[in-house]
Amino acid sequence: MKSDAVLTKLLEGWLDGGLTDAEEAELLEQLTTDPELRRRFAEQIATLGATRAAAESNPRWLSLFDLLESDHARQSGDRSFDVVTMDRIGEVRLKKGHGGAIAWGLAAMFALLAVVFLLLKNTQSPVVATAPVQEESAPATNSAIAVVIGSSPGSSFVTGRFLEPGVIAQSEGWLTFQTFRGVSVTLDSPFEAVLSGHDRILVNYGRARALVPDGAKGFKLESPSFDVVDLGTEFGVFVNADGTGSCRVFHGMADVSLLDSLGEVKNTQRIASQESVQIIPSNQSITKIEEKDEDYPELKVPSRPRLKLDASYADLVMRLAPAGYWRFEEIANGIIPNAVSGGVLMKAVGTATVTAEEAGNHSGELARRLQTEYFQISTAKYLLQGDFSISLFAQFDWLQNYALISAMRFDEKVQGHPFIMQIYTAYRSASRKETALNVVFRDPPGWDGGIEAYGNTILRPLHWHHMAVTRDDGLVTTYLDGEEIATEFVSDMPMDCRQIFIGRLNGNASQSRMEARGLVGRIDELAIFPSALTQEEIRLLAKPATHKADRKN
């Protein structure tokens, strides 16, 4: 049974009962042996259980919270969320009698809700643990949901540190992190917050400012007594220890909701740009007030680093005999020249441009995801046939799903994408977790299947990465910053294409933002070679770059 179907069946049986002994045994076996399914199952139950608890007028399990809190603390120790869940399931299965499926589900849900309750408790009983410290160069764990992009001197949350779900707190200074959905949040001390997911943060107390970029609407900032739901927004909040607070929208709109003691929404008010409200739970009021932008903390997002290249970098690339090499050093009449004499040209479409930096290397810039914006090679028929290599640098303003390179065939007989090189911020599959770099080969005319190669790593925002893919007699290898991250055999799958898109899946302006996957960031030094480069050659192409954060004034 496929994992999605297993998850659906588990959730149905968990919440509503009705599983036979055979069905239960089969599902539990898959839940026990598949960590990824277990993680997804635990996340869904935590969300569904908490929602159902808040929706019912007299939730029968809320009275068990105090008991379960101490019980969880006594039994779980430092074990993970899903391990505790499976232990509870096992305990109840052994005792199952009449109505066993329902008892099995409710007992384990109690345990999960107890964990959720521990995370969502207010400041009268604060959680004091913080996420484990990671060095800047340390890889993210499978459960990381955000990355630190800036912090005040002396903070334990250093730039580049990946953050897992849990409590973060600081008594002095500030912290800015970015979720894997691209939301940037600055917290000013003193603060205590709980990272609940890619789209949710609970602020127990403190000051916060959030910037939600295009394509990432729906971010929710929670507090013990009110919530703020983004509607395409930059907004700030004050959350006081007594439950009162205020919210100001700097750009866009947001919904502010007052909550009762059970977390139910009692009153919602929409506020627009340059509006502020004060929230007072004791009299259930949301009142508009006069404030200024400077009354709230500044959103502290570091300036993007420039890509530093050795002076001889172009010579290195040319010695490897590329079929096409686009440096993005200049743009004239919408055309990006090819450094290979007689090679095909690249055009900038829409608002795509080349950055005009004060010093250092220039790059191709894509900054407006909601507009038509990409680079395109219109005559690309022979660039990706047989063995080939692609090398480029990329920098992302914020983390989302992006198409980097897409080869397209579009004529009266064949329409589709035989090759796609793209990134995912937190993609998960059965064998790869937190996959970032993904290469797809598709064989016409079906286009739905094909071969995919995943790289087991995570990308950082505002950080230049070198990315490469080679095809050598059917063996495809992907590289990140000069290191091999995935290999896959694709045989002699044809690579007939008419055009190549850079920074977008294709030029179809009617596609939704998610389908189009337009890049928000910069691309540089794109080279396509008519042969498979060696790993040492790929390392040489990645090595001249330094990631020093020289700031623009």
Side-chain angles (χ1 to χ4, degrees), residues 325-332 335-339 344-346:
Y325 179 28
W326 300 269
R327 303 206 64 203
F328 297 94
E329 285 296 297
E330 58 181 301
I331 182 171
I335 299 299
I336 311 297
N338 191 335
V344 296
L345 302 178
M346 177 188 297

Side-chain angles (χ1 to χ4, degrees), residues 177 185 187 193-195 199-203 219-222:
F177 63 85
V185 179
L187 292 164
V194 181
L195 299 182
D199 293 322
R200 294 173 58 202
I201 174 177
L202 168 71
V203 178
F219 173 74
K220 187 176 185 180
L221 192 149
E222 303 170 323

Side-chain angles (χ1 to χ4, degrees), residues 160-196:
R161 170 180 166 183
F162 290 99
L163 301 175
E164 300 178 12
V167 177
I168 55 176
Q170 201 163 285
S171 58
E172 296 180 354
W174 57 272
L175 166 69
T176 300
F177 63 85
Q178 189 179 102
T179 73
F180 289 174
R181 299 284 171 81
V183 180
S184 298
V185 179
T186 294
L187 292 164
D188 266 10
S189 298
F191 68 80
E192 180 183 272
V194 181
L195 299 182
S196 305

